[in-house]
Amino acid sequence: MTDTALTPERLQAAVLHHLTYTIGKDAPHASLHDWRMALCYAIRDRVVGPWFASTRRTWEEDRKRVYYLSMEYLIGRILEDAAMNLGLRDMAVEVMEGFGQDFHALVEDEPAAALGNGGLGRLAACFMESMATLGCPAYGYGIRYEHGLFRQRFEAGQQVEAPEDWLTTTNPWEFDRPESAYTIGFKGHVETVKGRERWVPGETVTASAHDTPVVGWQGRWANTLRLWSAKPTTLFDLERFNRGDYAAAAEPEALARTISRVLYPDDTTYAGKELRLKQEFFMTSAALQDILRRYLASHSDLSRLHEKVAIQMNDTHPAIAGPELMRLMMDDHGVSFEEAIQTAQKVLGYTNHTLLPEALERWSTYLFGNVLPRHMQIIERIDDWHRKTYANQAHYIGIVKFQEVHMGELAFMMSHKVNGVSALHSELVKTSLFPELAAQHPDRIVNETNGVTPRRWLNMCNRPLSGLITGTIGEAWVGELDRLRELEPHIEDAGFRAAFGAAKRANKEAAAAWIKRECGVVVSPDALFDVHVKRIHEYKRQLLNILQTVAHWHAIRENPTADWVPRVKIFGGKSAPGYWVAKEIIHLINDVANVVNSDPVVGDRLKVIYPANYNVPMAELLMPAADLSEQISTAGKEASGTGNMKFMMNGAPTIGTLDGANIEILEEVGAENFFLFGLTAEEVVARRQNPDHAREAILASQSLQDVLQMLAEGRFSPDQRDRYHGVVDRVWHHDYFLVASDFAAYEAAQGAVDAAYRDRDRWQRMAAMNTARAGFFSSDRTIRGYMKDIWSTESAL
Ligand code: 26Q
């Protein structure tokens, strides 16, 4: 039974039981996969107790529930995380050893759920874990994509995408809930019956639920991640089948399932595809129907919905929630427009994650009105209402502009709170994204600086360091990350610093061994590991890094006998499949790596490593091994960043610009423990006013001129000398992200890094200070902020 204390004997029996009766295998013939599944089921059993208890408490106490709506959850592997939160990891290691199974190998056998692109999806996963840890009654809603984010390979240095298939083997963490199913409509027309509007969809699919329990630290609370998969509403066409028309008979089924087939792999440019709109409505409508069903099971008065329900929209992707909630209230429950809009606003919150204009969702009214005709009507009415309520505007503020539906404006108008994800970003949301709306609603925009869960991103992924921390200050820091400050007095202790250095060293050795296996390149753990991992995007400026890398290589060749600090430049990241400029940068990094890594003059003093398929498990390996965190976006462009926080926690100082949460990292850790460089957000805007900004910057830096010259001559592409003419031309003439203007400052900052690293004692202090001051960046702090400022809800613990 789950409520008796677990002993190694009981866990052993549970694993054996599942191996036999769930997997149907005899121990002598069981594969690694069989053992892994048996262990997952045994661990999952232990989650069920807290899960039921939490659900029961929430019902009994009629608590307010938080509903997080997100098109992405970048969860990663679950086994070790769940085992650790339940306090069972060490026991599992021991028990599996008894079966002759290596725990680490079992962990690695699990496919990492990659139902997200990057930051936004990973944030949703961290939030789910923190809400469980804090005892905040919550559900996450999303899509159970059959194929998550594509796998990346390199062929001749270029990105090639392959489908991801995390569901080819059974997912042991989910419970299918076929009884929780809703009909989702598309297209069709609107009828008026007895003065009430009624949508008659032309197509329908069924959304069917799959629940994954999410258990918090120490198993005190567990919430549900409910992912929807699409199924045909009607069974396949038997008549056609009997006629022998097998393909046609299966067609409706295939079409319906298309909706939850694959995650859109683009995280920056909005494409305006019908399937994407259908996915968004599919997830949102299923969630709202489920939320109202649960509410109406114990309440009847929809006007008090906000007392028991808070719905958070993760960017505008679920922004159709506003009109859909109103439609359900008005058309199905007879609520008036005025009451419906007021209730919806009190319930909904909107988090903005980007200012990039190309990423803001806008749908053509033609497409939108075709797929969601009733919602189009409601949106037009919201627009009218808003215009009347906030009259006398200098110019038109609305949702529908130039035949397009603007989802940002819609989400803003339908929410009681709108938040940015770092202090700078929230300020820019106010002043540059929604200036008019912000003036009309001065209290609506708030800031909730992002955070990451320290359970996964320090305690789990960095055993050497977390062991040292726990040995030094006890284990309470895992649940109260601010307590990392208690490390500070120990930093004065040379013994502690040596132990801190030894932990980093162990992680670097592990990473070096992995790099050897993965890339066939030998790197020295004595070198400075300089890590730049994130999606590839022009604004994130991987180009700036690789250009400086070329400059550094060139400098070593010019003066090979000088006392260089050995460096390993590590890159990781995927490009959206259609983002050609990003793909060119990937190609360039791989081409530079080829030349540098085979240069006998340079040897161990510089290596360039770019392992393919950066994902959550790779981050868990590389972040603990990093000496230096690259956070070098053009100021004003990175909403927050969260990788920056993970590096900091794991004792890697940042080289970075004043952008996103870098600014808050700098404030926490102090300028002496951060390598700051580059133009500020304001200077960036001013700099672009000068049409000669790039040319002037290039002419002022001999080093940058040399680098661009080498690229132009084909030094890194001897098989195709003109390959990087486009890159060089863009730096000279179309340098929107100011690579040239920040180059000299970046190069100087890298020089300062070398100088600091030479002084090992100084570096050790900096690294340890980064960990000690990382407390603010726990997603527990972020979630407490949302609970207080946006959701008006309290912990059940
Ligand atoms: C939109 C329409 C159609 C298809 C795809 C999309 C789409 C999908 C994903 C648009 C954007 C995204 C993801 C954005 C994202 O990850 N933003 C990042 O969010 C992090 C968490 O707040 C921040 O730390 C990062 O700064 C921000 O870039």
Side-chain angles (χ1 to χ4, degrees):
M1 283 308 292
T2 47
D3 47 8
T4 42
L6 194 64
T7 59
E9 294 70 34
R10 285 204 178 106
L11 181 61
Q12 184 185 43
V15 171
L16 213 48
H17 177 92
H18 279 294
L19 187 74
T20 313
Y21 299 105
T22 310
I23 310 302
K25 279 286 181 86
D26 194 8
H29 301 114
S31 65
L32 179 73
H33 173 259
D34 298 328
W35 282 110
R36 195 256 297 171
M37 294 294 280
L39 176 59
C40 287
Y41 284 120
I43 298 291
R44 189 183 75 169
D45 287 349
R46 313 304 302 186
V47 181
V48 170
W51 193 31
F52 285 2
S54 306
T55 310
R56 216 177 297 130
R57 279 267 310 278
T58 306
W59 276 106
E60 283 166 6
E61 296 168 17
D62 190 24
R63 282 185 176 273
K64 186 169 188 175
R65 294 173 178 89
V66 170
Y67 294 104
Y68 200 76
L69 268 52
S70 178
M71 290 292 282
E72 308 198 2
Y73 291 91
L74 227 186
I75 303 165
R77 293 176 177 142
I78 295 177
L79 172 57
E80 190 173 17
D81 182 61
M84 287 190 83
N85 274 0
L86 292 167
L88 297 177
R89 183 192 181 270
D90 293 345
M91 195 191 289
V93 172
E94 177 194 324
V95 164
M96 297 317 289
E97 199 153 273
F99 290 123
Q101 298 296 316
D102 174 34
F103 181 75
H104 192 67
L106 294 163
V107 163
E108 295 210 322
D109 184 59
E110 182 179 345
L115 309 183
N117 273 288
L120 167 147
R122 183 54 234 176
L123 186 75
C126 284
F127 280 10
M128 288 304 297
E129 202 275 350
S130 275
M131 289 190 286
T133 291
L134 295 175
C136 171
Y139 285 76
Y141 282 111
I143 293 180
R144 181 178 177 270
Y145 300 106
E146 216 173 290
H147 303 287
L149 186 62
F150 67 85
R151 276 186 299 128
Q152 177 195 54
R153 275 183 296 122
F154 295 138
E155 269 176 26
Q158 289 179 281
Q159 171 172 301
V160 177
E161 302 94 24
E164 184 272 359
D165 55 1
W166 71 299
L167 288 176
T168 46
T169 56
T170 306
N171 171 8
W173 301 108
E174 66 183 4
F175 293 89
D176 292 355
R177 306 289 191 214
E179 74 281 11
S180 292
Y182 299 94
T183 301
I184 313 298
F186 303 106
K187 307 200 172 178
H189 62 277
V190 180
E191 290 176 357
T192 311
V193 183
K194 293 196 205 124
R196 250 204 224 180
E197 316 290 337
R198 196 173 68 100
W199 177 25
V200 184
E203 292 171 14
T204 57
V205 299
T206 298
S208 181
H210 303 259
D211 287 351
T212 302
V214 179
V215 65
W217 177 237
Q218 293 178 325
R220 282 154 24 100
W221 191 265
N223 287 321
T224 304
L225 176 61
R226 174 161 277 194
L227 302 179
W228 304 102
S229 65
K231 290 186 179 152
T233 310
T234 49
L235 286 176
F236 76 104
D237 195 332
L238 189 61
E239 203 184 306
R240 276 176 163 172
F241 189 87
N242 287 340
R243 266 191 269 125
D245 203 349
Y246 308 123
E251 207 173 88
E253 156 120 29
L255 225 57
R257 291 190 191 276
T258 303
I259 291 184
S260 54
R261 185 96 64 205
V262 37
L263 167 77
Y264 268 84
D266 204 324
D267 66 343
T268 41
T269 45
Y270 153 77
K273 293 274 196 297
E274 179 176 312
L275 180 61
R276 170 72 182 189
L277 181 60
K278 284 182 158 180
Q279 287 185 332
E280 293 181 350
F281 181 66
F282 169 80
M283 187 279 285
T284 307
S285 177
L288 288 174
Q289 292 185 58
D290 202 37
I291 292 165
L292 288 188
R293 182 209 34 90
R294 195 172 293 115
Y295 175 81
L296 291 170
S298 52
H299 309 85
S300 50
D301 183 357
L302 280 171
S303 72
R304 298 175 67 169
L305 189 67
H306 65 282
E307 292 175 10
K308 300 295 171 189
V309 170
I311 300 174
Q312 193 65 28
M313 299 184 280
N314 200 18
D315 215 286
T316 57
H317 315 155
I320 194 63
E324 174 66 352
L325 181 54
M326 289 183 67
R327 182 188 72 86
L328 293 169
M329 286 194 281
M330 297 189 300
D331 299 2
D332 291 1
H333 298 279
V335 175
S336 72
F337 174 87
E338 282 71 21
E339 198 179 321
I341 194 167
Q342 272 163 28
T343 303
Q345 284 174 328
K346 281 187 260 182
V347 165
L348 293 168
Y350 156 47
T351 305
N352 174 280
H353 296 268
T354 186
L355 304 167
L356 298 180
E358 65 271 30
L360 300 177
E361 285 189 294
R362 301 169 276 118
W363 298 99
S364 89
T365 50
Y366 174 79
L367 173 67
F368 199 97
N370 181 251
V371 175
L372 301 169
R374 176 65 180 132
H375 301 80
M376 191 69 234
Q377 286 184 341
I378 295 172
I379 286 171
E380 277 159 2
R381 231 174 128 191
I382 296 169
D383 242 352
D384 272 350
W385 170 88
H386 191 267
R387 225 169 301 134
K388 283 184 195 125
T389 314
Y390 301 92
N392 305 320
Q393 281 306 308
H395 64 98
Y396 184 81
I397 303 160
I399 303 166
V400 182
K401 284 174 281 199
F402 301 108
Q403 328 269 353
E404 284 186 317
V405 182
H406 290 244
M407 301 307 267
E409 276 74 6
L410 173 63
F412 190 109
M413 288 183 196
M414 292 304 302
S415 300
H416 68 292
K417 287 285 186 270
V418 174
N419 76 285
V421 290
S422 72
L424 172 70
H425 170 67
S426 296
E427 207 42 49
L428 293 171
V429 167
K430 229 180 259 175
T431 56
S432 76
L433 191 59
F434 300 120
E436 296 93 351
L437 284 168
Q440 283 174 358
H441 309 276
D443 300 326
R444 194 166 295 185
I445 299 177
V446 296
N447 175 55
E448 303 296 346
T449 297
N450 282 168
V452 302
T453 170
R455 270 73 65 185
R456 178 178 293 263
W457 293 109
L458 181 51
N459 197 39
M460 184 185 99
C461 72
N462 195 342
R463 300 299 289 162
L465 181 55
S466 55
L468 172 65
I469 297 169
T470 297
T472 309
I473 61 171
E475 206 192 21
W477 64 272
V478 183
E480 299 163 64
L481 202 65
D482 285 323
R483 298 185 66 160
L484 287 179
R485 283 228 175 204
E486 292 167 20
L487 290 172
E488 268 179 58
H490 297 275
I491 297 176
E492 290 309 309
D493 170 5
F496 176 81
R497 290 199 302 278
F500 198 97
K504 182 63 78 183
R505 171 85 193 190
N507 296 328
K508 288 172 72 174
E509 281 169 5
W514 177 83
I515 287 168
K516 170 90 204 309
R517 287 199 301 276
E518 195 66 24
C519 311
V521 180
V522 176
V523 299
S524 162
D526 291 324
L528 188 163
F529 281 18
D530 171 342
V531 185
H532 199 174
V533 288
K534 50 184 80 242
R535 283 297 282 259
I536 310 296
H537 196 286
E538 288 166 280
Y539 85 77
K540 295 178 188 282
R541 296 199 295 190
Q542 284 92 357
L543 180 59
L544 176 58
N545 186 344
I546 197 66
L547 294 181
Q548 185 272 329
T549 303
V550 170
H552 190 60
W553 169 74
H554 186 59
I556 295 172
R557 288 174 60 88
E558 298 278 282
N559 192 359
T561 55
D563 179 25
W564 299 99
V565 175
R567 268 220 202 206
V568 182
K569 286 267 191 180
I570 302 173
F571 292 84
K574 296 175 184 178
S575 157
Y579 188 176
W580 300 110
V581 175
K583 287 192 151 179
E584 205 167 26
I585 295 168
I586 292 177
H587 200 177
L588 174 62
I589 297 169
N590 280 320
D591 276 348
V592 170
N594 265 334
V595 171
V596 169
N597 296 345
S598 60
D599 184 343
V601 179
V602 170
D604 252 1
R605 280 166 293 192
L606 180 63
K607 293 285 178 218
V608 180
I609 305 295
Y610 192 171
N613 202 40
Y614 177 64
N615 57 6
V616 171
M618 201 193 293
E620 289 164 359
L621 176 83
L622 291 178
M623 290 178 168
D627 290 308
L628 184 67
S629 163
E630 295 270 356
Q631 309 299 336
I632 63 175
S633 52
T634 312
K637 293 295 178 190
E638 190 69 271
S640 160
T642 45
N644 48 3
M645 302 169 186
K646 296 166 196 166
F647 282 107
M648 179 199 195
M649 242 173 233
N650 284 281
T654 303
I655 182 166
T657 48
L658 283 173
D659 201 15
N662 291 356
I663 297 171
E664 288 153 86
I665 289 176
L666 172 64
E667 268 165 27
E668 293 292 313
V669 82
E672 64 287 9
N673 299 307
F674 189 111
F675 298 93
L676 179 66
F677 76 94
L679 300 170
T680 64
E682 284 183 359
E683 288 165 351
V684 161
V685 173
R687 179 87 189 157
R688 285 205 194 101
Q689 300 303 305
N690 173 359
D692 273 343
H693 61 81
R695 203 173 64 91
E696 286 172 11
I698 296 167
L699 295 180
S701 164
Q702 187 60 50
S703 156
L704 180 54
Q705 279 173 55
D706 293 345
V707 169
L708 293 174
Q709 185 66 32
M710 286 186 271
L711 256 64
E713 286 170 0
R715 276 294 282 279
F716 304 98
S717 53
D719 53 325
Q720 187 194 356
R721 298 255 167 213
D722 64 355
R723 183 175 295 156
Y724 297 113
H725 282 189
V727 171
V728 172
D729 181 68
R730 271 194 301 278
V731 176
W732 275 97
H733 304 294
H734 312 280
D735 185 18
Y736 181 76
F737 294 102
L738 305 183
V739 167
S741 296
D742 270 343
F743 185 88
Y746 179 58
E747 201 177 33
Q750 288 288 15
V753 168
D754 281 337
Y757 196 75
R758 252 180 242 285
D759 180 347
R760 283 309 164 101
D761 202 55
R762 177 176 162 210
W763 190 272
Q764 227 58 265
R765 284 171 195 270
M766 286 180 69
M769 275 300 280
N770 269 271
T771 298
R773 296 285 178 89
F776 182 73
F777 300 102
S778 166
S779 44
D780 298 347
R781 185 267 312 148
T782 311
I783 289 298
R784 281 199 188 90
Y786 279 82
M787 290 172 72
K788 180 166 166 292
D789 309 337
I790 302 177
W791 302 334
S792 303
T793 182
E794 277 170 12
S795 167
L797 292 173

